[in-house]
Amino acid sequence: MEIISYVGFDSRQNRTPDIRGAVRHFTSLFGERREPRAGAGFGAPRTAAAARPAAPAFRMDAVQNAALALISIIGRNAAKILSACAAAAGILLAAAGISSAAQYVRDYTGPLAFQHDESAESAVLSSIMAAFALEESGTYTSDGTLLGEGGAESAAQPFTQPVSYQTYRVQPGDTIIGITKKFGLTNISTLIAVNDIDNVRQLAAGQKLKIPSIDGLLYTVQDGNSLSGISAKFNIALEDLLDVNELESADLTAGQQLFIPGAKLASDKLRQAMGELFKCPISAAYRVSSYFGRRADPFTGAPSSHTGIDLACPQGTPISASASGRVVFVGYSNVFGNYIIINHGNGYQTLYGHMSKTIAQKNQWVSQGTRIGLVGSTGYSTGPHLHFTVYKNGKLVDPFSVLK
């Protein structure tokens, strides 16, 4: 049997093959040697003696042996080849991962691209509340005296005429201020006190009111009261008390009613009757997560103006009407999510935002404490809470200034 040896390959020795030599030898089997043509190149034609021997003929067994040699080389270096392939694959995967991570960072991390500006929130509110602008804005002082009506001068004048009364039936669209003006009175607490009105927002068309001819309050005489004592208590001249009430003597009887001319309700009672003392709309435990006024935007951290207060509490916590009034809006916005607006009359409106569910219906009359919705996190919100806004005479006010 003919033995063929290859450069760089000896199956009888345990040594590292020369891959390049084996490849050169393998490819040489398919090469064809050609004699140079006569006169080609420089110098004389090559002689027969100098001619190269003819290339061996193509042999299949040689091809097979060469293939076996290549396989053997691969087998001996399989670990290195696999390691190199794995390294190359790892590099490719790492490159792909880095590219994907970079794309993710560009698309999903960094500052959130919110376009919200809480000055825009104020504009939204102003637009919404414009429909409820009142003609009675700023028409009375803290003690109930109507502005521009000469109330102070009237109160300082002596009361010499007996008080008289007439009955008035409330008409649609009437307000306590409008009725006070209609009958020439100067202080809104007069009608409230004489008619024992707990909440002026509950005045209804058809209701009858007792209208005195002059400003003042009704006082029920208690055991031990004296006319001089009542005169001193209300800072009213004794003669005025006698004249206004047509008293012939200073003797009083328990239960007797006296009209105290020029007297006014205490400011807290007036505010309560005018519905200016609001109840917190959340009766469950809550945390004030944001106060009224300047603050950092909860998403961007940019300085902004907060139009109300945020009361953080669990999802689904009941929300109640802060005061009695009529529901004038139920809807959704990108800022307030699901929200409700209640018009309380006398210059007040309240807004309840980010509800998970609204319960009250538009045009529904609600009393203080009526359930109107549930706490949620709809709209521009970072978590479950109630956004509570109060408007007075067309302007934002701090809700804590009116809450009981």
Side-chain angles (χ1 to χ4, degrees):
M1 180 176 71
E2 182 181 6
I3 300 176
I4 301 176
S5 63
Y6 299 91
V7 177
F9 175 76
D10 186 351
S11 60
R12 296 170 297 177
Q13 299 183 27
N14 185 21
R15 61 185 180 181
T16 303
D18 184 346
I19 297 176
R20 289 178 295 178
V23 171
R24 283 199 304 271
H25 186 73
F26 179 76
T27 54
S28 70
L29 296 177
F30 301 95
E32 179 181 354
R33 298 182 185 279
R34 297 182 180 179
E35 291 297 328
R37 293 174 297 179
F42 296 97
R46 300 176 64 181
T47 62
R52 291 183 180 180
F58 175 80
R59 298 178 58 179
M60 182 57 69
D61 59 346
V63 174
Q64 293 175 345
N65 288 333
L68 292 173
L70 185 59
I71 292 171
S72 176
I73 293 169
I74 294 173
R76 291 175 181 273
N77 295 274
K80 294 180 179 179
I81 294 172
L82 289 176
S83 178
C85 290
I91 292 172
L92 291 175
L93 289 174
I98 292 171
S99 176
S100 177
Q103 183 66 34
Y104 181 87
V105 169
R106 286 193 298 270
D107 293 346
Y108 299 104
T109 65
L112 295 174
F114 282 106
Q115 301 301 314
H116 178 73
D117 179 356
E118 287 192 349
S119 62
E121 177 181 311
S122 298
V124 170
L125 270 179
S126 296
S127 175
I128 292 171
M129 294 300 182
F132 314 121
L134 295 177
E135 71 283 1
E136 297 172 356
S137 279
T139 54
Y140 61 92
T141 62
S142 60
D143 68 355
T145 301
L146 295 178
L147 296 177
E149 303 296 330
E153 294 82 356
S154 176
Q157 295 175 357
F159 298 94
T160 59
Q161 297 299 318
V163 64
S164 61
Y165 298 91
Q166 58 182 305
T167 300
Y168 175 74
R169 189 181 297 274
V170 177
Q171 303 299 310
D174 272 345
T175 65
I176 198 70
I177 294 176
I179 298 171
T180 299
K181 291 179 178 179
K182 180 180 293 187
F183 289 93
L185 301 175
T186 61
N187 195 292
I188 59 176
S189 65
T190 296
L191 295 183
I192 292 171
V194 169
N195 293 279
D196 197 21
I197 299 174
D198 292 329
N199 191 332
V200 297
R201 297 187 183 120
Q202 295 180 349
L203 284 177
Q207 182 176 346
K208 292 182 179 180
L209 295 180
K210 187 177 181 181
I211 312 294
S213 57
I214 55 178
D215 284 298
L217 308 178
L218 282 176
Y219 176 77
T220 302
V221 177
Q222 307 295 318
D223 286 334
N225 281 163
S226 65
L227 197 61
S228 59
I230 295 174
S231 173
K233 178 178 181 179
F234 289 100
N235 194 27
I236 299 295
L238 183 60
E239 293 77 9
D240 288 345
L241 282 177
L242 291 169
D243 291 339
V244 167
N245 291 280
E246 297 184 288
L247 297 176
E248 295 181 357
S249 71
D251 295 334
L252 299 176
T253 304
Q256 180 181 356
Q257 278 199 330
L258 296 178
F259 188 84
I260 313 298
K264 305 169 185 177
L265 283 174
S267 60
D268 58 338
K269 290 185 178 181
L270 177 61
R271 290 186 66 196
Q272 182 173 356
M274 292 299 290
E276 295 183 9
L277 293 180
F278 289 70
K279 179 182 178 182
C280 182
I282 300 294
S283 57
Y286 65 85
R287 174 178 59 87
V288 180
S289 57
S290 187
Y291 288 86
F292 175 81
R294 302 297 296 172
R295 71 165 184 177
D297 185 278
F299 283 101
T300 66
S304 59
S305 180
H306 194 216
T307 59
I309 57 174
D310 289 344
L311 309 179
C313 49
Q315 181 98 356
T317 300
I319 301 169
S320 301
S322 185
S324 60
R326 188 172 301 281
V327 176
V328 292
F329 187 87
V330 178
Y332 180 89
S333 79
N334 291 334
V335 175
F336 299 111
N338 297 316
Y339 71 105
I340 282 177
I341 296 173
I342 300 176
N343 186 14
H344 305 284
N346 299 310
Y348 284 95
Q349 298 86 30
T350 53
L351 180 147
Y352 310 77
H354 307 306
M355 294 182 177
S356 61
K357 180 182 180 181
T358 56
I359 297 175
Q361 304 295 317
K362 186 177 180 180
N363 295 323
Q364 176 184 347
W365 174 267
V366 293
S367 299
Q368 188 176 65
T370 300
R371 183 176 296 190
I372 60 172
L374 303 177
V375 168
S377 186
T378 56
Y380 192 76
S381 170
T382 58
H385 73 283
L386 169 68
H387 173 91
F388 181 55
T389 291
V390 178
Y391 254 78
K392 180 181 181 182
N393 296 326
K395 296 181 180 179
L396 286 166
V397 298
D398 184 349
F400 282 124
S401 69
V402 298
L403 288 176
K404 293 181 180 178

